[in-house]
Amino acid sequence: LHLCDRRQRQMCIRDRKFLLTIIQAVGLGCASAAAGRRVLHYLQLESYQLPGYVKSVRRNAMRALIPPIAMAAVGVAALRLSGLTGLALLLEALTAALLVWQAAKEKAKKPFVATERVKRLLAVHAAVNTVLALALLTVSPVLGYLLPAFEPALLMLAALIAAPMEKHIAGQFIKDAQARLAAQPGLIKIGITGSYGKTSTKFLLRDILSVKYNVLATPSSFNTPMGVTRVIREQLTPAHQVFIAEMGARHVGDIRELVELVHPQMGLITSVGPQHLDTFGTIERVRDTKYELIEGLPKDGTAVFARDGAICEALFERCPLERKYKPGMLVDAKNVACGPWGTRFTLTDVQTGEEASCQTRLLGEHSISNLLLCCTAARALGMTLQEIALGVSRCQPVEHRLELLSGGAGVSIIDDAFNANPVGAQCALRVIRDFPGRRIIITPGMVELGGNEDGFNRAFGEQMADSVDIAILVGKKHTQPIVDGLTKAGFPQENIHVVGSLEESTTLLHGMMRSGDVVLYENDLPDNYSE
């Protein structure tokens, strides 16, 4: 009896110890997954593409690696000093909560969204972490509490494990979206792509076509397969006559995937230029990827190309479709006038000579290019010049894209903070050059341009010298090529101010602003980019 009681006590102790180990493993797994909130945002910003995620973690090594390492250090130190696993687990959980709170408070250009995919990934992530923590704790408690230190890699492992499930779910959603589109055979489907200008062009085309049609356009920068799928499933109704899908790409084949989803009858290419060269590698790959939209059009489809005197016009010549156009073939613009008040021009039918006066609040001569591209598409769809002119008058600046705002106290703000590229930056500089008063630019320069990034930013600095009076540059290392370009162009050194953050630039600006100034915000660094 004594031996039986002893064995039972030993079994109870083992069971209780194992139960406590499981509780620790679950706590560590969940706490570690929660502590990865910031790197999970990086993964979301990279559209769950692991190569881009790895680059983001490397660029943000201090912010991505130090917090989880610190969390692990807290747990291990508490365990070694007190010997109490409960205390160590509690401190790691509190640290994880603090890291989640800090990440949630951070201002984000594209905020973190707790989508259903994120929730599924977190569940897989916590489960994987729990299994690993259990295995490590059985070897050594210290090893178990070191688990959070490897959080960026653990998230990548979870994403790999979840990938087959996500592919299946995405496939089901895409099939449903395709069925909804197929159920409306009379729906006019339009795809828009380009290195830059596609979002602005999408909204301009929506406003013009809305004079005649009931139009649904993908909102904001919803330009991925799942983003477009979500819009189709949640917003498309039988009342819609036109569906406009923006099609973005960071890799070869991305546009083809979107074309297979939407099956557009009309395609617009707004531009082809050095954008996302960090993933594409060469401008030729960018060109061929954008052309995937045209390759996916039916034989009786309509292709509209920007008149850029370069790659877009070469693609126009390459296009085999009978219905292919570029500005100047159906309609053209003359008597163009631009200023701080907006833009006006005369829209002319090339074939009949008919004319219509157009005016819009859009800033800059380059806005005529985007508008004329949309007018050409509208004319190809049978709209009259008067209908198109009315649509042009309804066009409004897109948020954060050369949006003119009042800064109060007689100061004008030109918000072009969404994204910067070499062509768009030049357009923004031409716009501010037309404004009276003292001209100030605040910019971190351009990013994601691959090995040519420094060269583009150096040229940006040289161009800037002729357009602004004061330059406030955000990021001491990244903006050095801009400083070099400004210096080369003879820009006064005392008018160059380099700061470490956007907050510092705001403080500096408030200390120097006066009535009559105009301030251009050109680009805002992506959330997953830092020096």
Side-chain angles (χ1 to χ4, degrees):
L1 290 174
H2 179 71
L3 287 174
C4 289
D5 289 342
R6 185 177 178 183
R7 287 172 183 169
Q8 286 179 342
R9 284 197 299 272
Q10 288 175 340
M11 288 177 63
C12 286
I13 291 172
R14 284 198 300 269
D15 290 345
R16 185 166 58 185
K17 187 176 180 181
F18 183 64
L19 178 61
L20 288 174
T21 301
I22 291 177
I23 292 172
Q24 286 184 79
V26 172
L28 283 170
C30 293
S32 180
R37 160 69 169 72
R38 180 178 283 119
V39 289
L40 179 56
H41 190 193
Y42 294 161
L43 182 62
Q44 187 177 67
L45 290 169
E46 293 293 344
S47 301
Y48 304 96
Q49 300 291 321
L50 292 182
Y53 166 73
V54 171
K55 288 182 180 179
S56 292
V57 170
R58 286 177 178 173
R59 282 198 300 255
N60 299 271
M62 295 294 288
R63 299 178 68 204
L65 303 178
I66 297 301
I69 289 174
M71 175 178 164
V74 167
V76 171
L79 184 64
R80 296 298 295 270
L81 292 174
S82 69
L84 300 174
T85 55
L87 176 62
L89 182 59
L90 176 62
L91 289 176
E92 285 211 357
L94 291 174
T95 305
L98 177 62
L99 294 179
V100 171
W101 178 74
Q102 285 181 331
K105 277 188 64 178
E106 291 175 354
K107 182 182 177 182
K109 184 178 179 181
K110 287 187 177 180
F112 176 75
V113 182
T115 62
E116 293 302 316
R117 178 170 185 171
V118 164
K119 293 174 185 177
R120 291 192 297 270
L121 179 56
L122 278 173
V124 173
H125 190 19
V128 170
N129 285 4
T130 298
V131 171
L132 291 174
L134 183 60
L136 293 171
L137 287 169
T138 56
V139 177
S140 167
V142 172
L143 288 178
Y145 283 88
L146 279 174
L147 181 73
F150 304 96
E151 177 53 32
L154 294 173
L155 177 60
M156 187 160 64
L157 175 61
L160 285 169
I161 293 173
M165 174 182 66
E166 292 301 331
K167 185 176 181 180
H168 174 74
I169 292 173
Q172 296 303 309
F173 286 153
I174 288 173
K175 285 180 181 178
D176 180 59
Q178 289 173 325
R180 290 170 186 263
L181 289 172
Q184 296 181 223
L187 184 69
I188 301 170
K189 295 169 290 186
I190 303 172
I192 298 179
T193 192
S195 297
Y196 25 81
K198 53 184 175 291
T199 302
S200 298
T201 301
K202 171 184 64 180
F203 288 130
L204 296 179
L205 183 60
R206 177 201 64 188
D207 292 344
I208 293 172
L209 294 184
S210 292
V211 172
K212 181 176 181 179
Y213 300 100
N214 186 338
V215 182
L216 172 65
T218 53
S220 187
S221 292
F222 275 55
N223 56 22
T224 64
M226 292 314 298
V228 175
T229 294
R230 181 180 172 185
V231 174
I232 295 169
R233 297 179 70 242
E234 296 179 2
Q235 299 183 32
L236 184 67
T237 70
H240 288 119
Q241 298 168 291
V242 177
F243 175 59
I244 304 174
E246 178 181 340
M247 299 183 173
R250 297 177 69 91
H251 305 86
V252 174
D254 284 354
I255 301 297
R256 185 178 298 113
E257 185 177 356
L258 283 158
V259 169
E260 291 172 356
L261 164 63
V262 177
H263 294 292
Q265 301 105 320
M266 174 181 281
L268 279 69
I269 296 184
T270 65
S271 57
V272 177
Q275 191 79 326
H276 298 311
L277 289 181
D278 56 336
T279 52
F280 280 112
T282 67
I283 193 70
E284 288 76 22
R285 287 181 179 175
V286 177
R287 175 200 64 199
D288 293 341
T289 300
K290 301 305 178 186
Y291 192 70
E292 289 171 1
L293 170 57
I294 308 303
E295 291 176 325
L297 295 176
K299 291 182 179 180
D300 60 348
T302 304
V304 185
F305 299 83
R307 187 172 60 189
D308 63 352
I311 297 176
C312 284
E313 297 199 50
L315 292 180
F316 172 85
E317 298 298 332
R318 175 177 165 185
C319 176
L321 299 178
E322 289 186 13
R323 291 175 55 83
K324 61 176 182 178
Y325 306 102
K326 56 184 176 180
M329 292 181 65
L330 296 179
V331 292
D332 211 342
K334 65 180 184 178
N335 304 323
V336 176
C338 304
W341 37 266
T343 308
R344 57 175 173 259
F345 60 97
T346 301
L347 185 67
T348 304
D349 186 299
V350 174
Q351 296 177 344
T352 67
E354 182 185 358
E355 295 183 349
S357 296
C358 299
Q359 184 161 344
T360 174
R361 289 181 58 238
L362 299 177
L363 295 174
E365 188 175 345
H366 75 285
S367 64
I368 297 295
S369 300
N370 291 338
L371 278 170
L372 203 52
L373 188 69
C374 296
C375 292
T376 300
R379 194 62 167 156
L381 288 172
M383 289 184 65
T384 67
L385 249 60
Q386 287 70 31
E387 289 173 332
I388 295 171
L390 178 58
V392 169
S393 70
R394 295 177 179 178
C395 291
Q396 298 293 320
V398 180
E399 188 178 21
H400 306 308
R401 293 169 175 86
L402 285 179
E403 184 182 14
L404 183 60
L405 306 169
S406 172
V411 175
S412 297
I413 303 292
I414 302 173
D415 182 357
D416 198 36
F418 182 79
N419 200 1
N421 56 76
V423 174
Q426 288 183 45
C427 294
L429 291 175
R430 286 197 294 269
V431 167
I432 193 174
R433 191 168 53 201
D434 290 337
F435 275 71
R438 193 172 58 157
R439 297 156 299 182
I440 303 170
I441 187 171
I442 300 177
T443 182
M446 290 169 275
V447 299
E448 299 180 336
L449 295 179
N452 296 323
E453 189 169 287
D454 285 354
F456 284 120
N457 278 318
R458 194 172 295 110
F460 183 32
E462 292 182 43
Q463 296 155 4
M464 194 185 298
D466 293 330
S467 302
V468 302
D469 303 299
I470 296 174
I472 301 177
L473 309 178
V474 182
K476 297 182 180 180
K477 294 179 182 177
H478 184 258
T479 59
Q480 185 56 50
I482 301 177
V483 174
D484 295 341
L486 285 165
T487 303
K488 181 180 177 181
F491 196 79
Q493 288 291 324
E494 62 271 19
N495 290 345
I496 302 175
H497 305 273
V498 182
V499 298
S501 67
L502 184 60
E503 289 74 19
E504 286 183 46
S505 73
T506 301
T507 302
L508 178 63
L509 178 65
H510 287 169
M512 67 170 62
M513 272 195 317
R514 61 193 186 210
S515 181
D517 286 349
V518 57
V519 181
L520 169 64
Y521 282 90
E522 182 61 22
N523 200 21
D524 183 14
L525 289 176
D527 297 312
N528 52 344
Y529 188 95
S530 73
E531 293 192 335

